[in-house]
Amino acid sequence: MVKHRPLFRHIRDHNALFSELAMARNSYAQSLGLNDYVYHKTPKFITADGRRLTIEPERSLIVQNYQSFAGVKNVLQREIPGFYIVNNSDIGFRYPTAAIANLDAPFIKRFRSEFFHRDNEDRSICRPRNLSYGIKSRGKGDNRQEYEVWVPDENVQLDPTPLFIEKYGEDLPDEVRQFASLPPVVYGWMGVKRAAFEAIYLSKKAIGDIAINIGLSVDAYNIGARPDLSFSPLVDSSIAKHNAEIEWEVMGYYAPKGEHPSHDEIWRGIDHAIEAVSAPLNNTYHNVAINIQESKTERILSCIAEQQISNQQILDWNLKPWEFLQDSSDSRRKSHDPSRAVNLLGRLNRLFYQETFRLPSLKEVHELIARS
């Protein structure tokens, strides 16, 4: 593996970050001989009845402890012919994510706040930034629908439905549009530390001249024991569950300049690439893998349900995602001392820094997955 400094950033501008990642990806594609190729984002999926949907082609594998993924980059490069990790594509960020739909909801709804850092930057507090609002199909089934928008800071408390319509238009099914407009109530929280990188997959025999761009990430995460992140006597902690996950998702593809592969050719290549990554990971980690058919957002919901917290309690709390952009809330008081406001960021930081379940640093995760 080529030794390089991972691309860590301490910025609030996602466009700048992903532009730099795109330059790294295109430069690496040329080094693989894809000089006369053009990059395309993952296309809309056309259903049998002609609808064009925004589809998320991804898989994941969950384990108990992030240490299980030591050296996973080398596993991928060794076990998958035609799999090439893009130099300088590594990024590290942490984010709190909120589940804001209940277990009975037809889709999954979430708010997520990503925060990037410089390499070796010491952080003692997580300050949410870059708030995104997303809706996904439930579960971890094949090719789930996914819709996501970034919410401007000044409009963080407004209904984000118009942003969905503006971005996705005809791809937003009526049932998703209706679900998007429901008022957000926080059902639970998760804190995540993520080491992410990209790869290019080539296989002329299986998928012809198409080269598939795959985004991969290794996440270590903690789930709050209660929706307001307070102490739970059931688990004797404010953290109820901690696991780790590796995800792989098709981000786009390269095709020769001037050529336009058909819808079926592109999606055959996408599905083949997803399975090409799945096979060696399943073989390597089958002894430590946890069989979970839930998305991470759904894991928050089931975890909260296990804490015997009722829907009525959650509705009574009436927590809103944007509250966790605030240092404290005068509308919420400490249970043992009502004269003191609740420090919301302090509670959120327990998901990252609570001593018993401390999440690893971004640098530690990157070094772990790159081990020989």
Side-chain angles (χ1 to χ4, degrees), residues 112-279:
R112 189 169 72 178
S113 174
E114 297 178 350
F115 199 60
F116 298 89
H117 298 290
R118 295 186 190 280
D119 198 3
N120 296 322
E121 185 177 24
D122 180 36
R123 286 287 167 189
S124 59
I125 189 167
C126 175
R127 296 194 177 278
R129 295 285 186 273
N130 300 320
L131 197 67
S132 72
Y133 178 69
I135 288 177
K136 290 188 180 185
S137 310
R138 295 185 70 90
K140 292 170 61 181
D142 291 357
N143 299 334
R144 292 179 295 155
Q145 293 183 58
E146 178 183 28
Y147 306 91
E148 185 170 35
V149 293
W150 292 97
V151 183
D153 289 347
E154 65 274 14
N155 293 329
V156 85
Q157 296 191 36
L158 300 181
D159 176 10
T161 309
L163 295 175
F164 274 100
I165 295 169
E166 179 182 332
K167 181 172 181 179
Y168 294 104
E170 65 181 277
D171 299 318
L172 202 61
D174 287 342
E175 63 271 21
V176 174
R177 186 178 301 221
Q178 179 182 359
F179 183 61
S181 63
L182 297 176
V185 175
V186 171
Y187 282 74
W189 289 85
M190 174 187 286
V192 184
K193 291 280 189 74
R194 168 171 288 181
F197 58 97
E198 292 191 6
I200 294 175
Y201 174 73
L202 302 168
S203 177
K204 282 189 175 291
K205 183 177 180 181
I207 61 177
D209 289 331
I210 299 173
I212 304 295
N213 169 221
I214 304 173
L216 301 101
S217 64
V218 172
D219 297 349
Y221 62 85
N222 289 332
I223 299 176
R226 294 159 71 87
D228 65 346
L229 299 169
S230 58
F231 182 88
S232 169
L234 276 181
V235 290
D236 199 30
S237 174
S238 57
I239 291 175
K241 188 171 290 186
H242 51 101
N243 291 144
E245 178 177 60
I246 184 168
E247 296 180 344
W248 53 106
E249 178 182 359
V250 170
M251 315 297 289
Y253 68 96
Y254 287 92
K257 191 180 297 182
E259 293 189 17
H260 302 284
S262 70
H263 170 272
D264 289 351
E265 287 175 322
I266 295 168
W267 279 94
R268 188 162 53 246
I270 288 173
D271 290 337
H272 179 85
I274 287 285
E275 293 308 318
V277 177
S278 299

Side-chain angles (χ1 to χ4, degrees), residues 21-30 39 86 198 200 213 254:
L21 286 172
M23 287 189 285
R25 180 198 313 127
N26 289 336
S27 174
Y28 190 73
Q30 290 182 353
Y39 185 76
V86 176
E198 292 191 6
I200 294 175
N213 169 221
Y254 287 92

Side-chain angles (χ1 to χ4, degrees), residues 47-117:
T47 64
D49 60 2
R51 289 180 301 148
R52 297 168 68 249
L53 297 176
T54 300
I55 294 296
E56 176 191 47
E58 78 162 26
R59 298 288 188 278
S60 67
L61 186 147
I62 301 99
V63 297
Q64 189 69 50
N65 192 302
Y66 72 93
Q67 298 278 355
S68 297
F69 291 128
V72 67
K73 281 186 170 183
N74 290 287
V75 171
L76 293 164
Q77 291 189 123
R78 182 179 68 243
E79 301 294 334
I80 309 173
F83 182 91
Y84 302 94
I85 293 178
V86 176
N87 288 340
N88 299 312
S89 66
D90 299 53
I91 59 172
F93 56 92
R94 60 182 173 183
Y95 63 85
T97 185
I100 56 178
N102 64 29
L103 280 166
D104 299 323
F107 298 92
I108 286 296
K109 188 188 290 189
R110 73 177 185 196
F111 268 80
R112 189 169 72 178
S113 174
E114 297 178 350
F115 199 60
F116 298 89
H117 298 290

